[in-house]
Amino acid sequence: MYELGGIFGAISYSSRNVVPIILTGLKRLKHRGFDTTGIAFIDGGRLSVLKEVGEPGEVIEKLKLEELSAPIALGHVRFSTHGRPHVDNAHPHVDCSKRIAVVGDGAIANYEAIYDRLIMEGHELKSRSDFEVIAHLIEDCLRKGLSTLESIAFVEQSLEGFYSYAILSEESRSIIAYTSLQPLYVGKSWDLTLVSTSKSALHGLADEYVELSGGELVIANSFTTKFYKLRELMSVEKSFSKLYVVEEYVEKDGYPHHMLREMYEIPYSILRCLAVHQEKYLSYASKHIREAKDVYIIANGTSLHAGLVASYYLSELANISPIVTSAAEFPLYYMENVGPGAVVIAISQSGETSDVVQAAYEAKLRGATIMGLTNYVGSRLANISNLYLPIGAGPELAVPATKTFVTTLATLYKVSIRVAKDMGRITASEYGEALSKVKDYALKLRESMAELDAEAAEAASEIASCRSGYVVSRGITYPIALEGALKIKEVAYMHAEGMEAGEFRHGPISLVERGFFTVFLVPVEAHAAKASYPLIRTSIDMGATVAVIGFENDPSLLELKNVNVIRVMHVDRYLAPIAYTIPLQFLAYRLGLKLQRPIDKPRYLTKAVS
Ligand code: F6R
């Protein structure tokens, strides 16, 4: 499972009240979560926790948090990636003695086994949250006489996954924070040490900051702040840098637009998506699909393009050919045939798009099984689904869908390989390898995001002066051409058409000339790739502005002259739809920026079309 959250903690050296600072920090972390808000604090030697369902503003008012006063406190905002928003799942979580409070962000992969063991041993766990187990594991160690640091180091040996967490300890009156991978920053001012998931959230509160690297821990009490490498139990020196954040960007984690921030979060969103699904639900999803008489995939816009990619996945990996259609068309042409035995995979990141919700509802009334894929577990789609799979992208505040598209693709891929495994078409080890490849890709992608962005920006500066253009591909990346064109229309207000390369010479070629652009996504199917290069050369010869996106190891890319080439990491062909999406999203963003469009809120569009 995965907990997406924002952590914000503060301790004062001068006994000043840090609660207002925590509340400011939490309001700035809304992009990390807004389903629950909570705070732990130590006042008069006792640790207390207050938490509630709701975004920081609501909860602050409801629980009168502004009236609190404490020199040490730890806050959290949570986005529900699984289970509906509920106060029991809200952080901070406490141990049985209520002397340790924990807040976290990420996934503890072996959480379920630890949870079962703790329950057997008599611990009282109240939530289904990954991070509650940490409080109880530390409690056990402290009871055996270990120091807080030794306890955390011991507990770390038993945890798997990628996560960051912070602890407020009543006994040591300290904040301790650790990260295995997730972003975590420590800030300081003359009388404060702060811990935050976002560097920008420290703006105006800290003068200097330092980022924790994976495996590092910080202990801050009212006298000192010390850093350690946890596994080695070795103290490390870290040098602080001056904190500078553009004030306007504070609530966008330092980015000028939510869209850009959300794109840069994609590697983490993919990792989250890998961890978010419970085994039993993936198994149900696979069973429904395998046993279905007919499989329909319905969605709109960007989600429909993800559905089209899924038809390639299911057809190739599981020999199942779903009907993929716009949710608006589905009731008109297919509903008559829908009945018991049909599975309708309804995709909607918002879970609120009316066409999707209504079509799914009607299909359910006719006896179909509805499998909803959504980012919002409390949405209407999740509510009416017989089985819903969260895509675990985390809050997406920009109207253009970016990280949610990628995690929808990742979820559909997971489901497809799961079906293939359960049908015996791939072995358990091939299944495991396929999942590892997604993880490796996400980890490496973190390093190449800035370069992809820069290359896309270069292409955008040439394309920006064109009237309109095509985004062309074939095979499994053809739906990505459709998606790239949609993103360019939506974000840059430029006309763009997504096209299947085989159709290019059947008419569309007539428009290609100077002032027109063509973006080619080199197909990952060898024969289709070979057939694409003559089209690329023809476009160049006709004077069009051409950009090409292909694998970094494709030698044919080196031969291209007078084109912007964007090389993406070489990946398994099933991951190519994701790998090609990222530069296209950057391209749309950079075009929108160049043409001064209102990127996060394109005209006439809303996050959910109802
Ligand atoms: C594109 C976009 C829209 C949505 C469409 C469906 O960036 O945001 O095309 O994809 O309105 O939305 P959901 O997935 O919420 O049903």
Side-chain angles (χ1 to χ4, degrees), residues 9 29 111 144 170 172 182 224 246 273 304 306 368:
L29 286 175
Y111 142 82
K144 286 177 194 147
E170 183 184 283
S172 59
Q182 301 290 96
T224 56
V246 179
C273 174
L304 178 58

mmCIF file of all heavy atoms in Angstrom, residues 9 29 111 144 170 172 182 224 246 273 304 306 368:
data_model
loop_
_atom_site.group_PDB
_atom_site.id
_atom_site.type_symbol
_atom_site.label_atom_id
_atom_site.label_comp_id
_atom_site.label_asym_id
_atom_site.label_seq_id
_atom_site.Cartn_x
_atom_site.Cartn_y
_atom_site.Cartn_z
ATOM 1 N N GLY A 9 7.420 19.444 10.398
ATOM 2 C CA GLY A 9 7.681 19.427 11.836
ATOM 3 C C GLY A 9 8.544 20.611 12.237
ATOM 4 O O GLY A 9 9.282 21.161 11.405
ATOM 5 N N LEU A 29 1.442 22.529 1.959
ATOM 6 C CA LEU A 29 1.664 21.152 1.472
ATOM 7 C C LEU A 29 0.401 20.533 0.887
ATOM 8 O O LEU A 29 0.335 19.313 0.719
ATOM 9 C CB LEU A 29 2.188 20.270 2.612
ATOM 10 C CG LEU A 29 3.637 20.503 3.024
ATOM 11 C CD1 LEU A 29 3.986 19.651 4.234
ATOM 12 C CD2 LEU A 29 4.584 20.173 1.885
ATOM 13 N N TYR A 111 4.354 -4.190 4.937
ATOM 14 C CA TYR A 111 3.532 -3.687 6.035
ATOM 15 C C TYR A 111 2.528 -4.733 6.553
ATOM 16 O O TYR A 111 2.332 -4.888 7.755
ATOM 17 C CB TYR A 111 2.834 -2.393 5.559
ATOM 18 C CG TYR A 111 1.427 -2.222 6.037
ATOM 19 C CD1 TYR A 111 1.179 -1.724 7.306
ATOM 20 C CD2 TYR A 111 0.346 -2.589 5.235
ATOM 21 C CE1 TYR A 111 -0.112 -1.586 7.760
ATOM 22 C CE2 TYR A 111 -0.943 -2.450 5.686
ATOM 23 C CZ TYR A 111 -1.179 -1.962 6.951
ATOM 24 O OH TYR A 111 -2.449 -1.840 7.412
ATOM 25 N N LYS A 144 12.657 -2.754 25.274
ATOM 26 C CA LYS A 144 13.787 -3.665 25.532
ATOM 27 C C LYS A 144 15.027 -2.908 25.967
ATOM 28 O O LYS A 144 16.111 -3.469 26.093
ATOM 29 C CB LYS A 144 14.084 -4.456 24.260
ATOM 30 C CG LYS A 144 13.052 -5.534 23.991
ATOM 31 C CD LYS A 144 13.341 -6.254 22.694
ATOM 32 C CE LYS A 144 12.139 -7.079 22.279
ATOM 33 N NZ LYS A 144 11.984 -7.170 20.843
ATOM 34 N N GLU A 170 7.998 11.636 22.940
ATOM 35 C CA GLU A 170 7.724 12.322 24.211
ATOM 36 C C GLU A 170 8.935 12.212 25.139
ATOM 37 O O GLU A 170 9.340 13.175 25.767
ATOM 38 C CB GLU A 170 6.494 11.675 24.871
ATOM 39 C CG GLU A 170 6.071 12.354 26.149
ATOM 40 C CD GLU A 170 4.913 11.619 26.813
ATOM 41 O OE1 GLU A 170 3.777 11.774 26.339
ATOM 42 O OE2 GLU A 170 5.153 10.889 27.797
ATOM 43 N N SER A 172 12.236 11.638 24.497
ATOM 44 C CA SER A 172 13.458 12.405 24.200
ATOM 45 C C SER A 172 13.153 13.837 23.776
ATOM 46 O O SER A 172 14.057 14.580 23.442
ATOM 47 C CB SER A 172 14.275 11.687 23.129
ATOM 48 O OG SER A 172 13.493 11.540 21.961
ATOM 49 N N GLN A 182 12.194 9.050 -0.424
ATOM 50 C CA GLN A 182 11.308 10.187 -0.663
ATOM 51 C C GLN A 182 11.999 11.511 -0.320
ATOM 52 O O GLN A 182 12.872 11.547 0.537
ATOM 53 C CB GLN A 182 10.073 10.068 0.248
ATOM 54 C CG GLN A 182 9.281 8.818 0.045
ATOM 55 C CD GLN A 182 8.560 8.837 -1.276
ATOM 56 O OE1 GLN A 182 9.026 8.315 -2.257
ATOM 57 N NE2 GLN A 182 7.421 9.479 -1.299
ATOM 58 N N THR A 224 20.311 20.690 19.833
ATOM 59 C CA THR A 224 21.147 20.390 18.666
ATOM 60 C C THR A 224 20.344 19.715 17.553
ATOM 61 O O THR A 224 19.250 19.190 17.784
ATOM 62 C CB THR A 224 22.281 19.386 19.026
ATOM 63 O OG1 THR A 224 21.644 18.231 19.567
ATOM 64 C CG2 THR A 224 23.307 19.955 19.956
ATOM 65 N N VAL A 246 11.048 31.439 -4.755
ATOM 66 C CA VAL A 246 10.222 32.543 -5.262
ATOM 67 C C VAL A 246 8.882 32.458 -4.522
ATOM 68 O O VAL A 246 8.230 31.406 -4.541
ATOM 69 C CB VAL A 246 9.994 32.397 -6.788
ATOM 70 C CG1 VAL A 246 9.118 33.522 -7.332
ATOM 71 C CG2 VAL A 246 11.329 32.350 -7.516
ATOM 72 N N CYS A 273 2.486 4.021 -7.643
ATOM 73 C CA CYS A 273 1.498 3.182 -8.317
ATOM 74 C C CYS A 273 1.879 1.700 -8.204
ATOM 75 O O CYS A 273 1.023 0.832 -8.053
ATOM 76 C CB CYS A 273 1.417 3.627 -9.771
ATOM 77 S SG CYS A 273 0.371 2.597 -10.751
ATOM 78 N N LEU A 304 -9.078 8.037 -22.129
ATOM 79 C CA LEU A 304 -9.422 7.162 -23.252
ATOM 80 C C LEU A 304 -8.142 6.700 -23.963
ATOM 81 O O LEU A 304 -8.026 5.542 -24.385
ATOM 82 C CB LEU A 304 -10.355 7.897 -24.220
ATOM 83 C CG LEU A 304 -10.786 7.141 -25.477
ATOM 84 C CD1 LEU A 304 -11.500 5.832 -25.122
ATOM 85 C CD2 LEU A 304 -11.707 8.006 -26.344
ATOM 86 N N ALA A 306 -5.290 6.249 -22.575
ATOM 87 C CA ALA A 306 -4.701 5.189 -21.735
ATOM 88 C C ALA A 306 -5.436 3.871 -22.006
ATOM 89 O O ALA A 306 -4.817 2.801 -22.100
ATOM 90 C CB ALA A 306 -4.805 5.564 -20.263
ATOM 91 N N ALA A 368 -23.474 -5.923 -15.722
ATOM 92 C CA ALA A 368 -22.024 -5.987 -15.994
ATOM 93 C C ALA A 368 -21.241 -5.755 -14.707
ATOM 94 O O ALA A 368 -21.752 -5.153 -13.756
ATOM 95 C CB ALA A 368 -21.649 -4.917 -17.025
#
